[in-house]
Amino acid sequence: MLRLLRTQAVVPARVHAASPWAVRFDPHAHVKPGVVLSGECWMALDGCEPVQLRQGDFFLLNNPPSYTLASLLDMPPGQAAAFHESENDGEVRIGARAHEDTYVCCIDFVFEETNASVLFDVLPPIVLVRAGDPRGALLANLSALTVAEMESAGVGRSLVLEHLAQLILVHMLRVHADQTDRPVGWLGALVEDGIGAALRAMHADVARRWTLDELAAVSRMSRSAFAAAFKAKVGTAPLTYLIEWRMSSGP
């Protein structure tokens, strides 16, 4: 699915802040993973309940509207653009460097618009992985590498950042998919033994002339049970899904 989306840009963004502070960000048309590296803050997305983030918490914003990061919810925010220290480096500094108590790193993903909805439609506005979650250990290692690259000027920095950002996104999606009461559509179906097996088979060999009987056999289900379960989970009939996938993933 991520190959289908064809990542067009991965833009790092860092927020260094000294309390009290509040900063307002414009909407972002795609997805934005991030982590609180030090301190804590509030995140308030328009139309959603505010969420308190603490050191070690990871988040994934899905097609976010305007939102505010702040040390205090009742503090009037300034616009992020007004705090940019370097437009090219995606860095926002608020307050005196010597008094900095919060450090948040984000990554702005930009995908090819044609197929972007395949991801947006199956995610909630925000996915959270709290610092105490055992599934966050690998994310912490990836974020440490990502921050080191963000702060370096090494050869190949942009390429390394792109690959690390992709890994973080994949692991955030895995965590969300593991929460079986939440994922919907193909993301939820992928983690099931039956429908997921058929989806993985189709994605691995999209050019094959799959029949309904073959896909049902892969899923270890009867033809009728497979067809009904696939449509209920994914939202379309199996062979219709395959045709649409071929059209979307073509050159």
Side-chain angles (χ1 to χ4, degrees):
M1 282 294 183
L2 291 177
R3 281 195 293 269
L4 169 65
L5 289 171
R6 297 190 179 99
T7 305
Q8 307 237 306
V10 173
V11 183
R14 293 173 286 162
V15 178
H16 299 264
S19 296
W21 61 277
V23 60
R24 181 80 168 165
F25 292 85
D26 292 331
H28 180 63
H30 296 270
V31 296
K32 176 181 290 195
V35 59
V36 180
L37 292 165
S38 64
E40 60 182 45
C41 63
W42 287 92
M43 174 179 285
L45 278 73
D46 287 0
C48 299
E49 287 293 317
V51 174
Q52 189 169 28
L53 302 172
R54 295 183 172 87
Q55 183 171 325
D57 288 348
F58 284 82
F59 57 87
L60 175 64
L61 302 182
N62 173 32
N63 203 19
S66 293
Y67 66 95
T68 298
L69 291 178
S71 59
L72 299 170
L73 281 175
D74 57 357
M75 184 173 177
Q79 285 295 320
F83 296 104
H84 273 293
E85 184 171 85
S86 169
E87 289 293 337
N88 295 325
D89 203 29
E91 188 172 68
V92 173
R93 283 200 175 271
I94 308 167
R97 190 184 297 249
H99 298 141
E100 176 185 315
D101 57 13
T102 306
Y103 184 14
V104 181
C105 274
C106 303
I107 303 165
D108 293 348
F109 274 84
V110 178
F111 298 115
E112 186 178 89
E113 286 287 349
T114 307
N115 301 309
S117 63
V118 301
L119 183 58
F120 306 153
D121 291 350
V122 298
L123 290 175
I126 181 169
V127 176
L128 288 176
V129 183
R130 295 295 188 180
D133 192 320
R135 295 169 296 188
L138 184 55
L139 282 167
N141 292 331
L142 289 171
S143 72
L145 289 171
T146 302
V147 172
E149 283 297 323
M150 284 183 182
E151 296 177 347
S152 79
V155 174
R157 173 179 180 265
S158 61
L159 181 62
V160 173
L161 278 175
E162 181 175 344
H163 285 292
L164 286 170
Q166 291 276 9
L167 285 170
I168 290 172
L169 178 57
V170 167
H171 283 284
M172 289 294 291
L173 292 175
R174 281 181 177 177
V175 170
H176 178 62
D178 284 344
Q179 299 167 343
T180 53
D181 59 326
R182 295 183 186 178
V184 297
W186 58 264
L187 183 59
L190 273 174
V191 300
E192 294 191 355
D193 291 338
I195 303 303
L199 279 169
R200 292 190 291 273
M202 283 191 279
H203 294 169
D205 191 0
V206 71
R208 178 172 170 174
R209 293 183 176 277
W210 291 98
T211 66
L212 193 59
D213 287 332
E214 289 172 332
L215 292 170
V218 169
S219 295
R220 298 183 179 181
M221 301 170 71
S222 71
R223 175 187 170 115
S224 58
F226 168 72
F230 191 99
K231 187 166 186 179
K233 287 288 183 182
V234 182
T236 188
L239 297 185
T240 301
Y241 175 88
L242 182 60
I243 292 169
E244 292 175 348
W245 174 260
R246 285 175 182 152
M247 293 173 62
S248 297
S249 58

